[in-house]
PDB file of all heavy atoms in Angstrom:
ATOM      1  N   LYS A  96       1.190  -8.436   1.434  1.00 90.00           N
ATOM      2  CA  LYS A  96       0.481  -9.684   1.182  1.00 90.00           C
ATOM      3  C   LYS A  96      -1.044  -9.431   1.282  1.00 90.00           C
ATOM      4  O   LYS A  96      -1.816  -9.913   0.443  1.00 90.00           O
ATOM      5  CB  LYS A  96       0.887 -10.742   2.195  1.00 90.00           C
ATOM      6  CG  LYS A  96       0.177 -12.076   2.036  1.00 90.00           C
ATOM      7  CD  LYS A  96       0.604 -13.072   3.116  1.00 90.00           C
ATOM      8  CE  LYS A  96      -0.237 -14.361   3.047  1.00 90.00           C
ATOM      9  NZ  LYS A  96       0.159 -15.314   4.105  1.00 90.00           N
ATOM     10  N   TYR A  97      -1.447  -8.677   2.298  1.00 88.00           N
ATOM     11  CA  TYR A  97      -2.880  -8.402   2.497  1.00 88.00           C
ATOM     12  C   TYR A  97      -3.442  -7.582   1.309  1.00 88.00           C
ATOM     13  O   TYR A  97      -4.545  -7.873   0.837  1.00 88.00           O
ATOM     14  CB  TYR A  97      -3.094  -7.600   3.798  1.00 88.00           C
ATOM     15  CG  TYR A  97      -4.497  -7.126   3.996  1.00 88.00           C
ATOM     16  CD1 TYR A  97      -5.508  -7.997   4.253  1.00 88.00           C
ATOM     17  CD2 TYR A  97      -4.760  -5.768   3.834  1.00 88.00           C
ATOM     18  CE1 TYR A  97      -6.823  -7.512   4.416  1.00 88.00           C
ATOM     19  CE2 TYR A  97      -6.079  -5.306   3.988  1.00 88.00           C
ATOM     20  CZ  TYR A  97      -7.079  -6.185   4.298  1.00 88.00           C
ATOM     21  OH  TYR A  97      -8.364  -5.724   4.425  1.00 88.00           O
ATOM     22  N   VAL A  98      -2.690  -6.635   0.832  1.00 92.00           N
ATOM     23  CA  VAL A  98      -3.144  -5.818  -0.286  1.00 92.00           C
ATOM     24  C   VAL A  98      -3.457  -6.701  -1.487  1.00 92.00           C
ATOM     25  O   VAL A  98      -4.496  -6.542  -2.154  1.00 92.00           O
ATOM     26  CB  VAL A  98      -2.046  -4.784  -0.676  1.00 92.00           C
ATOM     27  CG1 VAL A  98      -2.399  -4.081  -2.016  1.00 92.00           C
ATOM     28  CG2 VAL A  98      -1.928  -3.707   0.430  1.00 92.00           C
ATOM     29  N   HIS A  99      -2.596  -7.685  -1.797  1.00 91.00           N
ATOM     30  CA  HIS A  99      -2.837  -8.528  -2.917  1.00 91.00           C
ATOM     31  C   HIS A  99      -3.866  -9.608  -2.650  1.00 91.00           C
ATOM     32  O   HIS A  99      -4.434 -10.183  -3.587  1.00 91.00           O
ATOM     33  CB  HIS A  99      -1.509  -9.181  -3.372  1.00 91.00           C
ATOM     34  CG  HIS A  99      -0.588  -8.233  -4.095  1.00 91.00           C
ATOM     35  ND1 HIS A  99       0.773  -8.240  -3.951  1.00 91.00           N
ATOM     36  CD2 HIS A  99      -0.892  -7.206  -4.945  1.00 91.00           C
ATOM     37  CE1 HIS A  99       1.285  -7.270  -4.691  1.00 91.00           C
ATOM     38  NE2 HIS A  99       0.308  -6.649  -5.285  1.00 91.00           N
ATOM     39  N   GLU A 100      -4.102  -9.919  -1.364  1.00 86.00           N
ATOM     40  CA  GLU A 100      -5.206 -10.787  -1.027  1.00 86.00           C
ATOM     41  C   GLU A 100      -6.571 -10.105  -1.355  1.00 86.00           C
ATOM     42  O   GLU A 100      -7.514 -10.750  -1.825  1.00 86.00           O
ATOM     43  CB  GLU A 100      -5.183 -11.167   0.460  1.00 86.00           C
ATOM     44  CG  GLU A 100      -4.113 -12.214   0.820  1.00 86.00           C
ATOM     45  CD  GLU A 100      -4.041 -12.429   2.318  1.00 86.00           C
ATOM     46  OE1 GLU A 100      -4.647 -11.675   3.057  1.00 86.00           O
ATOM     47  OE2 GLU A 100      -3.376 -13.387   2.749  1.00 86.00           O
ATOM     48  N   VAL A 101      -6.637  -8.836  -1.101  1.00 86.00           N
ATOM     49  CA  VAL A 101      -7.836  -8.085  -1.420  1.00 86.00           C
ATOM     50  C   VAL A 101      -8.038  -7.961  -2.917  1.00 86.00           C
ATOM     51  O   VAL A 101      -9.151  -8.226  -3.431  1.00 86.00           O
ATOM     52  CB  VAL A 101      -7.780  -6.671  -0.788  1.00 86.00           C
ATOM     53  CG1 VAL A 101      -8.962  -5.820  -1.246  1.00 86.00           C
ATOM     54  CG2 VAL A 101      -7.775  -6.764   0.726  1.00 86.00           C
ATOM     55  N   ASP A 102      -6.996  -7.677  -3.639  1.00 90.00           N
ATOM     56  CA  ASP A 102      -7.093  -7.535  -5.116  1.00 90.00           C
ATOM     57  C   ASP A 102      -5.684  -7.663  -5.699  1.00 90.00           C
ATOM     58  O   ASP A 102      -4.846  -6.762  -5.485  1.00 90.00           O
ATOM     59  CB  ASP A 102      -7.713  -6.190  -5.479  1.00 90.00           C
ATOM     60  CG  ASP A 102      -8.006  -6.085  -6.969  1.00 90.00           C
ATOM     61  OD1 ASP A 102      -7.549  -6.931  -7.747  1.00 90.00           O
ATOM     62  OD2 ASP A 102      -8.756  -5.158  -7.370  1.00 90.00           O
ATOM     63  N   PRO A 103      -5.421  -8.676  -6.493  1.00 91.00           N
ATOM     64  CA  PRO A 103      -4.097  -8.816  -7.112  1.00 91.00           C
ATOM     65  C   PRO A 103      -3.730  -7.734  -8.109  1.00 91.00           C
ATOM     66  O   PRO A 103      -2.573  -7.613  -8.451  1.00 91.00           O
ATOM     67  CB  PRO A 103      -4.197 -10.193  -7.799  1.00 91.00           C
ATOM     68  CG  PRO A 103      -5.625 -10.392  -8.026  1.00 91.00           C
ATOM     69  CD  PRO A 103      -6.338  -9.763  -6.889  1.00 91.00           C
ATOM     70  N   LEU A 104      -4.704  -6.929  -8.566  1.00 93.00           N
ATOM     71  CA  LEU A 104      -4.398  -5.892  -9.496  1.00 93.00           C
ATOM     72  C   LEU A 104      -3.757  -4.658  -8.788  1.00 93.00           C
ATOM     73  O   LEU A 104      -3.105  -3.845  -9.434  1.00 93.00           O
ATOM     74  CB  LEU A 104      -5.642  -5.446 -10.235  1.00 93.00           C
ATOM     75  CG  LEU A 104      -6.244  -6.407 -11.240  1.00 93.00           C
ATOM     76  CD1 LEU A 104      -7.459  -5.754 -11.955  1.00 93.00           C
ATOM     77  CD2 LEU A 104      -5.213  -6.829 -12.271  1.00 93.00           C
ATOM     78  N   LYS A 105      -3.993  -4.511  -7.502  1.00 95.00           N
ATOM     79  CA  LYS A 105      -3.463  -3.368  -6.792  1.00 95.00           C
ATOM     80  C   LYS A 105      -1.929  -3.387  -6.825  1.00 95.00           C
ATOM     81  O   LYS A 105      -1.297  -4.433  -6.746  1.00 95.00           O
ATOM     82  CB  LYS A 105      -3.917  -3.343  -5.328  1.00 95.00           C
ATOM     83  CG  LYS A 105      -5.424  -3.135  -5.169  1.00 95.00           C
ATOM     84  CD  LYS A 105      -5.850  -3.105  -3.708  1.00 95.00           C
ATOM     85  CE  LYS A 105      -7.352  -2.999  -3.537  1.00 95.00           C
ATOM     86  NZ  LYS A 105      -7.874  -1.730  -4.054  1.00 95.00           N
ATOM     87  N   GLU A 106      -1.338  -2.211  -6.975  1.00 96.00           N
ATOM     88  CA  GLU A 106       0.087  -2.091  -7.071  1.00 96.00           C
ATOM     89  C   GLU A 106       0.676  -1.503  -5.737  1.00 96.00           C
ATOM     90  O   GLU A 106       0.001  -0.758  -5.075  1.00 96.00           O
ATOM     91  CB  GLU A 106       0.501  -1.181  -8.214  1.00 96.00           C
ATOM     92  CG  GLU A 106       0.135  -1.702  -9.578  1.00 96.00           C
ATOM     93  CD  GLU A 106       1.160  -2.735 -10.066  1.00 96.00           C
ATOM     94  OE1 GLU A 106       2.044  -3.109  -9.337  1.00 96.00           O
ATOM     95  OE2 GLU A 106       1.011  -3.183 -11.233  1.00 96.00           O
ATOM     96  N   ILE A 107       1.896  -1.916  -5.442  1.00 97.00           N
ATOM     97  CA  ILE A 107       2.567  -1.462  -4.225  1.00 97.00           C
ATOM     98  C   ILE A 107       3.819  -0.712  -4.591  1.00 97.00           C
ATOM     99  O   ILE A 107       4.557  -1.134  -5.464  1.00 97.00           O
ATOM    100  CB  ILE A 107       2.926  -2.672  -3.318  1.00 97.00           C
ATOM    101  CG1 ILE A 107       1.638  -3.370  -2.845  1.00 97.00           C
ATOM    102  CG2 ILE A 107       3.790  -2.247  -2.118  1.00 97.00           C
ATOM    103  CD1 ILE A 107       1.859  -4.669  -2.196  1.00 97.00           C
ATOM    104  N   VAL A 108       3.992   0.441  -3.944  1.00 97.00           N
ATOM    105  CA  VAL A 108       5.165   1.253  -4.144  1.00 97.00           C
ATOM    106  C   VAL A 108       5.924   1.381  -2.848  1.00 97.00           C
ATOM    107  O   VAL A 108       5.375   1.680  -1.824  1.00 97.00           O
ATOM    108  CB  VAL A 108       4.787   2.658  -4.650  1.00 97.00           C
ATOM    109  CG1 VAL A 108       5.997   3.593  -4.663  1.00 97.00           C
ATOM    110  CG2 VAL A 108       4.189   2.564  -6.049  1.00 97.00           C
ATOM    111  N   LEU A 109       7.249   1.091  -2.890  1.00 97.00           N
ATOM    112  CA  LEU A 109       8.103   1.366  -1.755  1.00 97.00           C
ATOM    113  C   LEU A 109       8.785   2.721  -2.023  1.00 97.00           C
ATOM    114  O   LEU A 109       9.519   2.864  -3.013  1.00 97.00           O
ATOM    115  CB  LEU A 109       9.164   0.263  -1.588  1.00 97.00           C
ATOM    116  CG  LEU A 109       8.653  -1.111  -1.331  1.00 97.00           C
ATOM    117  CD1 LEU A 109       9.837  -2.107  -1.125  1.00 97.00           C
ATOM    118  CD2 LEU A 109       7.764  -1.178  -0.102  1.00 97.00           C
ATOM    119  N   LEU A 110       8.496   3.694  -1.155  1.00 97.00           N
ATOM    120  CA  LEU A 110       9.013   5.032  -1.332  1.00 97.00           C
ATOM    121  C   LEU A 110      10.100   5.255  -0.295  1.00 97.00           C
ATOM    122  O   LEU A 110       9.839   5.347   0.901  1.00 97.00           O
ATOM    123  CB  LEU A 110       7.895   6.055  -1.186  1.00 97.00           C
ATOM    124  CG  LEU A 110       8.331   7.519  -1.369  1.00 97.00           C
ATOM    125  CD1 LEU A 110       8.848   7.741  -2.778  1.00 97.00           C
ATOM    126  CD2 LEU A 110       7.162   8.453  -1.108  1.00 97.00           C
ATOM    127  N   PHE A 111      11.352   5.317  -0.756  1.00 97.00           N
ATOM    128  CA  PHE A 111      12.500   5.556   0.124  1.00 97.00           C
ATOM    129  C   PHE A 111      12.589   7.079   0.396  1.00 97.00           C
ATOM    130  O   PHE A 111      13.134   7.817  -0.412  1.00 97.00           O
ATOM    131  CB  PHE A 111      13.783   5.079  -0.585  1.00 97.00           C
ATOM    132  CG  PHE A 111      14.084   3.620  -0.375  1.00 97.00           C
ATOM    133  CD1 PHE A 111      13.091   2.674  -0.571  1.00 97.00           C
ATOM    134  CD2 PHE A 111      15.371   3.211   0.006  1.00 97.00           C
ATOM    135  CE1 PHE A 111      13.363   1.325  -0.422  1.00 97.00           C
ATOM    136  CE2 PHE A 111      15.636   1.856   0.141  1.00 97.00           C
ATOM    137  CZ  PHE A 111      14.662   0.901  -0.057  1.00 97.00           C
ATOM    138  N   ASN A 112      12.094   7.513   1.533  1.00 96.00           N
ATOM    139  CA  ASN A 112      12.200   8.895   1.914  1.00 96.00           C
ATOM    140  C   ASN A 112      13.612   9.102   2.553  1.00 96.00           C
ATOM    141  O   ASN A 112      14.269   8.134   2.940  1.00 96.00           O
ATOM    142  CB  ASN A 112      11.114   9.317   2.885  1.00 96.00           C
ATOM    143  CG  ASN A 112      11.065  10.805   3.094  1.00 96.00           C
ATOM    144  OD1 ASN A 112      11.448  11.578   2.198  1.00 96.00           O
ATOM    145  ND2 ASN A 112      10.608  11.243   4.266  1.00 96.00           N
ATOM    146  N   LYS A 113      14.015  10.362   2.632  1.00 95.00           N
ATOM    147  CA  LYS A 113      15.346  10.724   3.168  1.00 95.00           C
ATOM    148  C   LYS A 113      16.438  10.054   2.305  1.00 95.00           C
ATOM    149  O   LYS A 113      17.514   9.673   2.811  1.00 95.00           O
ATOM    150  CB  LYS A 113      15.488  10.311   4.623  1.00 95.00           C
ATOM    151  CG  LYS A 113      14.473  10.929   5.551  1.00 95.00           C
ATOM    152  CD  LYS A 113      14.665  10.561   6.990  1.00 95.00           C
ATOM    153  CE  LYS A 113      13.607  11.197   7.884  1.00 95.00           C
ATOM    154  NZ  LYS A 113      13.770  10.808   9.301  1.00 95.00           N
ATOM    155  N   ALA A 114      16.145   9.958   0.993  1.00 96.00           N
ATOM    156  CA  ALA A 114      17.101   9.308   0.086  1.00 96.00           C
ATOM    157  C   ALA A 114      18.378  10.165  -0.052  1.00 96.00           C
ATOM    158  O   ALA A 114      19.377   9.656  -0.584  1.00 96.00           O
ATOM    159  CB  ALA A 114      16.454   9.064  -1.261  1.00 96.00           C
ATOM    160  N   ASP A 115      18.363  11.428   0.382  1.00 94.00           N
ATOM    161  CA  ASP A 115      19.540  12.245   0.330  1.00 94.00           C
ATOM    162  C   ASP A 115      20.618  11.726   1.273  1.00 94.00           C
ATOM    163  O   ASP A 115      21.798  12.091   1.174  1.00 94.00           O
ATOM    164  CB  ASP A 115      19.217  13.687   0.704  1.00 94.00           C
ATOM    165  CG  ASP A 115      18.437  13.820   1.981  1.00 94.00           C
ATOM    166  OD1 ASP A 115      17.272  13.289   1.996  1.00 94.00           O
ATOM    167  OD2 ASP A 115      18.925  14.407   2.939  1.00 94.00           O
ATOM    168  N   PHE A 116      20.259  10.826   2.197  1.00 95.00           N
ATOM    169  CA  PHE A 116      21.264  10.205   3.060  1.00 95.00           C
ATOM    170  C   PHE A 116      22.021   9.105   2.382  1.00 95.00           C
ATOM    171  O   PHE A 116      23.037   8.599   2.878  1.00 95.00           O
ATOM    172  CB  PHE A 116      20.583   9.627   4.326  1.00 95.00           C
ATOM    173  CG  PHE A 116      20.233  10.619   5.379  1.00 95.00           C
ATOM    174  CD1 PHE A 116      18.938  11.134   5.470  1.00 95.00           C
ATOM    175  CD2 PHE A 116      21.185  11.139   6.224  1.00 95.00           C
ATOM    176  CE1 PHE A 116      18.633  12.058   6.409  1.00 95.00           C
ATOM    177  CE2 PHE A 116      20.876  12.094   7.218  1.00 95.00           C
ATOM    178  CZ  PHE A 116      19.591  12.559   7.276  1.00 95.00           C
ATOM    179  N   LEU A 117      21.512   8.660   1.216  1.00 95.00           N
ATOM    180  CA  LEU A 117      22.146   7.534   0.512  1.00 95.00           C
ATOM    181  C   LEU A 117      23.031   8.060  -0.649  1.00 95.00           C
ATOM    182  O   LEU A 117      22.597   8.929  -1.403  1.00 95.00           O
ATOM    183  CB  LEU A 117      21.075   6.604  -0.057  1.00 95.00           C
ATOM    184  CG  LEU A 117      20.124   5.966   0.927  1.00 95.00           C
ATOM    185  CD1 LEU A 117      19.113   5.071   0.163  1.00 95.00           C
ATOM    186  CD2 LEU A 117      20.815   5.190   2.014  1.00 95.00           C
ATOM    187  N   SER A 118      24.153   7.440  -0.805  1.00 96.00           N
ATOM    188  CA  SER A 118      24.980   7.718  -1.957  1.00 96.00           C
ATOM    189  C   SER A 118      24.359   7.109  -3.201  1.00 96.00           C
ATOM    190  O   SER A 118      23.446   6.234  -3.128  1.00 96.00           O
ATOM    191  CB  SER A 118      26.407   7.151  -1.757  1.00 96.00           C
ATOM    192  OG  SER A 118      26.375   5.742  -1.713  1.00 96.00           O
ATOM    193  N   LEU A 119      24.821   7.539  -4.383  1.00 96.00           N
ATOM    194  CA  LEU A 119      24.349   6.950  -5.632  1.00 96.00           C
ATOM    195  C   LEU A 119      24.604   5.465  -5.645  1.00 96.00           C
ATOM    196  O   LEU A 119      23.736   4.681  -6.087  1.00 96.00           O
ATOM    197  CB  LEU A 119      25.035   7.645  -6.804  1.00 96.00           C
ATOM    198  CG  LEU A 119      24.728   7.096  -8.162  1.00 96.00           C
ATOM    199  CD1 LEU A 119      23.221   7.191  -8.468  1.00 96.00           C
ATOM    200  CD2 LEU A 119      25.526   7.808  -9.259  1.00 96.00           C
ATOM    201  N   ASP A 120      25.737   5.031  -5.160  1.00 96.00           N
ATOM    202  CA  ASP A 120      26.052   3.625  -5.161  1.00 96.00           C
ATOM    203  C   ASP A 120      25.086   2.836  -4.277  1.00 96.00           C
ATOM    204  O   ASP A 120      24.624   1.721  -4.675  1.00 96.00           O
ATOM    205  CB  ASP A 120      27.495   3.391  -4.658  1.00 96.00           C
ATOM    206  CG  ASP A 120      27.931   1.969  -4.738  1.00 96.00           C
ATOM    207  OD1 ASP A 120      27.881   1.364  -5.814  1.00 96.00           O
ATOM    208  OD2 ASP A 120      28.315   1.407  -3.658  1.00 96.00           O
ATOM    209  N   LEU A 121      24.744   3.377  -3.109  1.00 96.00           N
ATOM    210  CA  LEU A 121      23.799   2.696  -2.251  1.00 96.00           C
ATOM    211  C   LEU A 121      22.424   2.643  -2.845  1.00 96.00           C
ATOM    212  O   LEU A 121      21.728   1.616  -2.760  1.00 96.00           O
ATOM    213  CB  LEU A 121      23.725   3.403  -0.892  1.00 96.00           C
ATOM    214  CG  LEU A 121      24.772   2.993   0.161  1.00 96.00           C
ATOM    215  CD1 LEU A 121      24.617   3.840   1.400  1.00 96.00           C
ATOM    216  CD2 LEU A 121      24.626   1.517   0.533  1.00 96.00           C
ATOM    217  N   ARG A 122      21.997   3.717  -3.504  1.00 96.00           N
ATOM    218  CA  ARG A 122      20.676   3.700  -4.159  1.00 96.00           C
ATOM    219  C   ARG A 122      20.648   2.633  -5.224  1.00 96.00           C
ATOM    220  O   ARG A 122      19.634   1.910  -5.404  1.00 96.00           O
ATOM    221  CB  ARG A 122      20.359   5.070  -4.738  1.00 96.00           C
ATOM    222  CG  ARG A 122      20.195   6.176  -3.659  1.00 96.00           C
ATOM    223  CD  ARG A 122      19.414   7.378  -4.198  1.00 96.00           C
ATOM    224  NE  ARG A 122      19.968   7.956  -5.382  1.00 96.00           N
ATOM    225  CZ  ARG A 122      20.851   8.917  -5.370  1.00 96.00           C
ATOM    226  NH1 ARG A 122      21.368   9.347  -4.246  1.00 96.00           N
ATOM    227  NH2 ARG A 122      21.289   9.423  -6.527  1.00 96.00           N
TER     228      ARG A 122
END
Side-chain angles (χ1 to χ4, degrees):
K96 178 182 176 183
Y97 172 72
V98 170
H99 286 144
E100 284 175 348
V101 173
D102 188 347
L104 291 183
K105 294 182 184 294
E106 295 280 4
I107 296 169
V108 170
L109 299 182
L110 182 62
F111 275 47
N112 191 28
K113 301 182 181 178
D115 50 298
F116 283 99
L117 302 180
S118 65
L119 176 60
D120 184 56
L121 274 176
R122 295 200 303 272

